[in-house]
Amino acid sequence: MVDSTLVLNGQTIAYTLYAIAMLLVMAWFGYQVTRGDGKSFVKPGVFYAFVGFLVVLGVSLHIVTHETIPWKPIDLNRSEYLDKVNKTFNISIRDHEFTLPSEVLTIDKGDLVLFDVTSEDLTYGFGLFREDNSMLFQMQVLPGHKNDILWQFDKAEKLSIRSTEYSGPKGYNMYLKDAVVVK
């Protein structure tokens, strides 16, 4: 699986450059409209060609970044991956507290893991975070609904569990440091 940090950095650069190009077109168009002298140094054909280029670039950018999302194959072909799950962790949340099957969830590098999370009272979030506080993944946990996520761990690291949803003033404390260890 491609590291989500790499995907995020690549998408940040690509979309920033795309946004800058779009802003330049809008600035140029605004300048042309407000000049008032009736002269245009760029012909309409050039303008529409550039806009067409930006549309093709934008659609291409979406397609390319769609293919780099690391969890996409697992989500799209979920039924095929369920038979390959190495570990399942049943986690419950109640009264702003995570209840784990053990104090530390130990995972072997390369394992495909199913996190089955249930809420008994409120809507919470369930997210795994790296030591630098960047998020590996997260999901919303709704009471009375099936809430699970499949993830393949390809790097040895320690991860913390946090709630990623606002669940009232007590929710700020929903943090378990180094609760997941991938070895």
Side-chain angles (χ1 to χ4, degrees):
M1 213 190 270
V2 175
D3 188 7
S4 58
T5 303
L6 177 67
V7 172
L8 179 62
N9 291 338
Q11 287 184 348
T12 300
I13 292 167
Y15 283 102
T16 299
L17 293 174
Y18 183 70
I20 289 170
M22 290 300 291
L23 290 171
L24 289 173
V25 168
M26 291 186 332
W28 172 81
F29 183 75
Y31 174 73
Q32 290 296 314
V33 169
T34 59
R35 273 177 58 178
D37 62 2
K39 296 179 183 175
S40 177
F41 61 89
V42 176
K43 303 288 180 218
V46 173
F47 172 76
Y48 290 117
F50 189 66
V51 169
F53 168 73
L54 288 176
V55 168
V56 169
L57 181 65
V59 171
S60 300
L61 189 59
H62 284 33
I63 291 169
V64 168
T65 56
H66 175 265
E67 293 304 315
T68 63
I69 297 172
W71 53 88
K72 185 189 75 151
I74 294 173
D75 280 348
L76 290 179
N77 304 308
R78 185 178 173 85
S79 60
E80 295 171 21
Y81 283 88
L82 284 173
D83 296 336
K84 301 173 185 175
V85 170
N86 300 103
K87 291 185 180 176
T88 299
F89 294 114
N90 295 305
I91 299 167
S92 63
I93 310 172
R94 184 179 188 172
D95 295 328
H96 298 93
E97 223 173 280
F98 291 103
T99 303
L100 305 178
S102 61
E103 191 172 321
V104 175
L105 306 178
T106 305
I107 300 167
D108 295 323
K109 186 174 140 183
D111 277 357
L112 180 64
V113 178
L114 176 70
F115 292 92
D116 189 3
V117 186
T118 57
S119 168
E120 298 177 23
D121 53 4
L122 302 171
T123 298
Y124 297 101
F126 176 79
L128 290 189
F129 289 78
R130 299 177 187 93
E131 291 181 298
D132 66 358
N133 293 318
S134 63
M135 183 170 51
L136 183 65
F137 71 78
Q138 70 91 31
M139 71 173 173
Q140 191 175 44
V141 182
L142 300 169
H145 292 274
K146 181 152 185 63
N147 310 284
D148 63 15
I149 190 166
L150 282 170
W151 198 265
Q152 185 154 22
F153 293 87
D154 57 358
K155 187 160 91 176
E157 59 189 333
K158 289 183 181 178
L159 302 162
S160 299
I161 296 175
R162 295 181 189 173
S163 177
T164 53
E165 261 323 295
Y166 180 73
S167 57
K170 294 180 186 176
Y172 80 94
N173 201 27
M174 295 181 66
Y175 173 69
L176 301 174
K177 184 168 175 58
D178 300 335
V180 177
V181 175
V182 182
K183 56 181 182 164

